[in-house]
């Protein structure tokens, strides 16, 4: 068996990982590099150019640093991903008028897929993207676990996942948080409690967060309902939560969730009509106590809303990675909210495993080899008495 890390070994994001034997070659994740505005498609023979050499590509989750190159695959290569993952990605692309990935074959957690003589079992895991998976791979008599991105501080049980994991020959794991100063991740439940404490009698309440971070939407919703606030999603977020449905707060099936529209195009208005009496206008919003999920691009809308109600005793929960505060549009937006009298409170936790969580995974799977990916601190793994692939991008065992 051969494992080759085409990309993403010494960097966070942009992962492309190959696992192959004499008969079959499979790729796991085809990600774009983060913070790279000029992305050339990597010249990987048989994947993006030339004669197809790979039978299939498996995508762990919908973040662009794992999925972003899927639309450039050679057409005869089968694409596999989770169903909700695909639906969210398709909605996001259609909403933004961007090209979508080709229709994939969908897998479900714990159902093994056989491609040639390699078997792949997806295992649902917790991450800041919904519908994220690890992959347990059997190839050439060996067992490999590729983690994708994961964490133990979300709402899915990490210990239940650990129980399902066998000992493996090779562990390919992310180590995103290892280059940052060590802290134990706060749990989503901690954020919920903190939000309730800080909402108190303040009004209005705003949450600034990624519309695709579904766990965080659940946290914001739960804190809002405990504070008896109406929960407001804009059309974009409402589209995502409605596609996922089930226990995820969305205007179509949740009594206290409503949807608002910020632009004035016919296309958006037609989308809004789909929500029937769950849509809400500025006048009605201003007559309620509410929590609103916001984005920098809806600044003009909020400016108009501030003419209807005072934002003076308002709170905005900043619920994203702190690095985004350096981005121009975010900076401008926060300044704007401050100028309206809104207090900014940070409410965030990582979507990636902390060191304790990675240790637990290593102890449970007791690998013979560790291949760190999605990290800037692969050397951290040397503290275990296990072979670590650091200065080479391929392993033959
Ligand atoms: Zn990632
Ligand atoms: Zn991710």
């Amino acid at each position: 068996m051969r494992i080759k890390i085409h990309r993403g070994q010494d960097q966070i994001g942009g992962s492309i990982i190959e696992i192959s034997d004499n008969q079959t070659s499979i790729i796991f994740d085809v990600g774009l590099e983060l913070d790279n505005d000029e992305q050339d498609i990597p010249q990987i023979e048989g994947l993006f150019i030339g004669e197809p050499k790979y039978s299939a590509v498996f995508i762990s989750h919908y973040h662009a640093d794992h999925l972003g190159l899927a639309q450039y695959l050679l057409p005869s290569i089968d694409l596999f991903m989770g169903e909700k993952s695909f639906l969210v990605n398709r909605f996001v692309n259609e909403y933004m008028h961007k090209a979508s990935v080709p229709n994939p074959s969908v897998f479900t957690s714990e159902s093994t897929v056989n491609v040639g003589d390699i078997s792949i079992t997806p295992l649902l895991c917790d991450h800041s993207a919904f519908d994220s998976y690890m992959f347990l791979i059997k190839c050439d008599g060996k067992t490999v676990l590729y983690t994708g991105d994961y964490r133990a501080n979300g709402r899915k049980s990490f210990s239940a996942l650990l129980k399902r994991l066998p000992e493996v020959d090779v562990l390919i794991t992310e180590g995103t948080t290892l280059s940052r100063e060590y802290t134990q991740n706060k749990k989503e439940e901690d954020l919920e409690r903190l939000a309730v404490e800080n909402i108190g009698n303040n009004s209005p309440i705003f949450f600034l967060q990624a519309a695709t971070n579904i766990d965080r939407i659940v946290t914001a919703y739960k804190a809002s309902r405990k504070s008896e606030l109406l929960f407001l999603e804009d059309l974009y977020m409402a589209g995502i939560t409605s596609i996922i449905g089930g226990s995820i707060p969305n205007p179509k099936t949740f009594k206290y969730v409503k949807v608002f529209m910020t632009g004035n195009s016919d296309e958006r208005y037609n989308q809004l009509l789909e929500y029937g009496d769950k849509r809400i206008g500025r006048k009605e919003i201003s007559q309620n106590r509410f929590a609103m999920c916001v984005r920098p691009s809806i600044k003009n809308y909020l400016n108009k809303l501030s003419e209807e109600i005072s934002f003076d005793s308002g709170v905005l929960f900043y619920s994203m990675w702190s690095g985004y505060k350096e981005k121009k549009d975010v900076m401008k937006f926060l300044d704007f909210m401050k100028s309206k009298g809104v207090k900014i409170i940070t409410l965030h936790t990582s979507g990636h495993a902390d060191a304790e969580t990675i240790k637990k995974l290593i102890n449970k799977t007791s690998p013979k080899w560790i291949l760190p990916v999605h990290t800037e601190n692969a050397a951290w793994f040397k503290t275990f008495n296990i072979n670590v692939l650091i200065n080479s991008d391929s392993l033959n065992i």
Side-chain angles (χ1 to χ4, degrees):
M1 178 185 64
R2 182 171 93 120
I3 302 177
K4 183 171 166 64
I5 314 291
H6 288 272
R7 193 162 79 174
Q9 192 179 26
D10 298 317
Q11 64 184 42
I12 293 170
S15 301
I16 303 173
I17 299 162
E18 172 185 337
I19 296 183
S20 50
D21 61 14
N22 290 336
Q23 294 177 44
T24 312
S25 296
I26 298 179
I27 293 282
F28 293 86
D29 285 341
V30 281
L32 285 168
E33 292 182 299
L34 295 168
D35 296 327
N36 180 354
D37 292 336
E38 288 163 31
Q39 308 246 359
D40 293 326
I41 299 166
Q43 300 295 291
I44 300 173
E45 195 73 36
L47 185 62
F48 300 114
I49 53 166
E51 285 299 308
K53 184 178 116 188
Y54 297 96
S55 303
V57 170
F58 282 74
I59 302 293
S60 61
H61 62 287
Y62 56 59
H63 282 155
D65 61 319
H66 298 259
L67 166 71
L69 292 168
Q71 57 184 300
Y72 305 112
L73 296 174
L74 292 170
S76 66
I77 299 174
D78 289 333
L79 180 67
F80 287 84
M81 59 193 288
E83 185 181 18
K84 296 288 184 188
S85 218
F86 168 64
L87 292 175
V88 168
N89 181 259
R90 187 175 66 181
F91 172 82
V92 167
N93 284 319
E94 282 177 1
Y95 193 93
M96 307 282 188
H97 301 125
K98 285 184 185 164
S100 208
V101 298
N103 278 359
S105 302
V106 294
F107 54 65
T108 51
S109 188
E110 297 183 56
S111 292
T112 300
V113 179
N114 292 301
V115 178
D117 54 352
I118 301 179
S119 77
I120 302 100
T121 308
L123 297 166
L124 190 66
C125 66
D126 200 283
H127 179 45
S128 46
F130 191 77
D131 205 29
S132 293
Y133 295 87
M134 295 186 177
F135 295 113
L136 192 63
I137 302 134
K138 294 209 165 139
C139 175
D140 216 6
K142 303 281 192 303
T143 305
V144 181
L145 180 69
Y146 167 49
T147 64
D149 290 350
Y150 68 105
R151 65 173 182 174
N153 51 312
R155 293 176 189 275
K156 287 183 200 74
S157 164
F158 184 63
S159 55
L161 173 63
L162 276 186
K163 270 187 202 145
R164 275 183 226 123
L165 296 176
E167 291 191 354
V168 300
D169 295 290
V170 183
L171 173 64
I172 308 172
T173 179
E174 71 132 312
T176 314
T177 67
L178 300 173
S179 45
R180 300 173 189 163
E181 201 172 304
Y182 178 70
T183 45
Q184 196 174 13
N185 285 344
K186 280 196 200 90
K187 290 181 180 302
E188 288 291 330
E189 282 91 345
D190 298 333
L191 300 190
E192 184 184 322
R193 189 176 37 74
L194 279 170
V196 171
E197 281 168 20
N198 282 289
I199 289 172
N201 290 321
N202 293 311
S203 176
I205 302 300
F206 303 99
F207 288 92
L208 176 57
Q209 61 148 96
T212 51
N213 186 342
I214 305 302
D215 254 21
R216 191 59 46 76
I217 297 174
V218 172
T219 296
Y221 170 77
K222 287 193 167 189
S224 302
R225 288 310 303 146
K226 279 187 178 163
S227 312
E228 295 183 353
L229 305 176
L230 193 59
F231 192 70
L232 306 179
E233 300 177 357
D234 78 329
L235 261 182
Y236 178 64
M237 183 185 280
I240 293 170
T241 57
S242 300
I243 275 173
I244 296 173
S247 61
I248 304 308
N250 71 86
K252 287 196 172 159
T253 58
F254 277 60
K255 189 173 176 191
Y256 296 104
V257 180
K258 292 205 171 193
V259 55
F260 65 100
M261 169 185 159
T262 59
N264 56 7
S265 75
D266 288 348
E267 182 195 1
R268 297 290 182 238
Y269 186 65
N270 286 333
Q271 288 168 339
L272 185 70
L273 289 179
E274 286 173 27
Y275 294 92
D277 62 0
K278 298 308 293 295
R279 60 205 157 107
I280 187 167
R282 261 202 317 271
K283 273 263 168 328
E284 196 186 339
I285 290 175
S286 63
Q287 289 155 6
N288 281 279
R289 282 191 79 227
F290 64 86
M292 177 183 271
C293 298
V294 296
R295 291 183 286 136
S297 59
I298 69 167
K299 197 169 91 184
N300 289 344
Y301 180 86
L302 292 172
N303 199 23
K304 283 184 200 146
L305 185 64
S306 72
E307 288 163 12
E308 313 256 352
I309 47 159
S310 167
F311 285 8
D312 239 356
S313 54
V315 166
L316 179 140
F317 292 106
Y318 179 85
S319 207
M320 302 190 291
W321 177 52
S322 60
Y324 292 137
K325 278 185 185 161
E326 311 301 318
K327 288 177 85 175
K328 230 183 204 168
D329 59 337
V330 176
M331 215 187 285
K332 269 189 178 168
F333 181 70
L334 292 176
D335 285 345
F336 161 75
M337 292 303 266
K338 278 185 216 158
S339 76
K340 293 286 176 188
V342 175
K343 187 177 167 193
I344 314 287
I345 296 175
T346 296
L347 187 82
H348 189 53
T349 188
S350 179
H352 297 277
D354 55 24
E356 278 309 308
T357 301
I358 297 172
K359 274 183 203 166
K360 281 182 190 165
L361 186 79
I362 292 171
N363 287 337
K364 180 68 204 327
T365 55
S366 54
K368 297 183 183 74
W369 280 91
I370 298 176
L371 275 62
V373 292
H374 208 287
T375 186
E376 289 171 341
N377 188 12
W380 178 86
F381 290 91
K382 283 184 180 167
T383 51
F384 301 89
N385 198 15
I386 297 170
N387 298 312
V388 183
L389 190 82
I390 289 187
N391 295 320
S392 160
D393 63 7
S394 58
L395 173 72
N396 290 284
I397 56 167

